Amino acid sequence: MGHRSGAVSYDRRVWVKDPAWENSRWASLSYRAVDEFEYVYIFWKPGVTKFDRRRLTAEEWKDWGSRGVWAFPSVRTNVEHDSMYPVQLPYRVIRLLTDPGDIVLDPFMGSGTTAVAASQCGRKFIGIDREKASVELAKKRIAKERHQTCFTIHET
Ligand SMILES: C[S@@+](CC[C@H](N)C(=O)[O-])C[C@H]1O[C@@H](n2cnc3c(N)ncnc32)[C@H](O)[C@@H]1O
């Protein structure tokens, strides 16, 4: 499947999380399923795509690199930001698809989870969010990841 930008749909993963408490409340009152999973879609951009199995260890390839279903818990509470996702989610995507030193862009950064994961993976990052509170929260979380090589945050 192609996109007007020229990006081509290449793969998708399913992240199985635990049922969200918010949704569990109404699940018993309707036919709707409890919100237990999300999709991760991967698109290739035009040009040569690099494939490098050495980005992951053999164990990681076996455990999740080559697996269509990823299972790990969601964030226990969303007190700091109302839609935080676990670091493990961007961490796996970044490890799988980028090289050390690459730049990871998250234009809807929220609490900065992608930036934290990028730091942990030795990648640079650019984060954007329109909410000042989100940018401040992201900055705080990123500051804890002192080993990042560089970061840039834009408020739109
Ligand atoms: C679903 S949250 C992202 C949560 C993030 N993944 C995390 O773990 O904290 C989406 C974020 O996008 C921001 N946002 C929405 N529309 C935007 C826009 N047009 N430009 C910049 N940021 C935007 C919101 O302020 C919100 O913080």
Side-chain angles (χ1 to χ4, degrees):
M1 182 176 57
H3 185 264
R4 261 186 309 176
S5 66
V8 177
S9 174
Y10 175 76
D11 193 16
R12 58 114 180 71
R13 309 284 168 122
V14 175
W15 167 38
V16 179
K17 52 186 184 177
D18 33 7
W21 286 110
E22 283 297 310
N23 295 329
S24 301
R25 267 199 320 234
W26 49 253
S28 59
L29 302 175
S30 78
Y31 292 120
R32 295 179 69 183
V34 180
D35 181 19
E36 282 176 299
F37 67 90
E38 293 187 23
Y39 292 108
V40 176
Y41 285 97
I42 298 171
F43 294 84
W44 282 157
K45 62 182 180 184
V48 177
T49 297
K50 187 176 158 192
F51 171 70
D52 185 357
R53 254 193 113 93
R54 289 167 305 179
R55 283 176 179 156
L56 303 185
T57 65
E59 195 69 8
E60 287 170 330
W61 273 110
K62 188 163 74 66
D63 286 350
W64 54 267
S66 55
R67 303 282 297 277
V69 177
W70 290 349
F72 46 83
S74 46
V75 172
R76 305 316 319 167
T77 62
N78 279 328
V79 176
E80 291 175 289
H81 189 277
D82 59 14
S83 49
M84 283 171 84
Y85 49 44
V87 174
Q88 186 67 202
L89 186 61
Y91 178 89
R92 289 188 180 191
V93 174
I94 291 167
R95 287 285 313 286
L96 191 64
L97 301 172
T98 69
D99 287 313
D102 278 356
I103 301 173
V104 176
L105 168 68
D106 186 348
F108 305 99
M109 191 177 54
S111 65
T113 310
T114 303
V116 169
S119 294
Q120 292 178 354
C121 300
R123 275 61 160 174
K124 299 168 190 161
F125 57 85
I126 298 172
I128 301 169
D129 203 285
R130 68 179 174 188
E131 300 291 335
K132 202 174 180 63
S134 292
V135 171
E136 291 310 317
L137 174 57
K139 278 182 175 170
K140 267 193 217 147
R141 291 184 73 199
I142 292 159
K144 287 187 187 159
E145 297 291 331
R146 295 313 310 177
H147 60 279
Q148 78 262 14
T149 45
C150 99
F151 67 83
T152 310
I153 298 177
H154 296 286
E155 192 185 326
T156 55

